[in-house]
Amino acid sequence: MRRVAPVGGTAVQDHVALAEIELCGELIIAASAAEDRLSLESIDEVLRVAKERQG
């Protein structure tokens, strides 16, 4: 027997997956707008990665 999600029923949202998809989209947009390959620093900036300095 095959189960099918009800039409117009409750949708389960994975907020982590949606956030990852959004970040991937932003990275794709940045890469397509760049003239050359993105540097690691540019990728970190697009992905909003903060570096922690040890010292």
Side-chain angles (χ1 to χ4, degrees):
M1 181 172 179
R2 190 171 177 205
R3 293 185 182 228
V4 179
V7 176
T10 59
V12 177
Q13 291 187 5
D14 184 341
H15 297 287
V16 173
L18 292 175
E20 289 178 357
I21 292 168
E22 182 178 344
L23 288 174
C24 286
E26 291 177 18
L27 191 56
I28 291 168
I29 291 168
S32 66
E35 292 181 14
D36 202 4
R37 294 178 67 167
L38 293 177
S39 67
L40 293 178
E41 292 81 16
S42 297
I43 293 170
D44 285 349
E45 184 178 326
V46 171
L47 298 179
R48 298 184 288 271
V49 175
K51 290 185 179 181
E52 294 183 17
R53 294 181 185 247
Q54 297 178 358

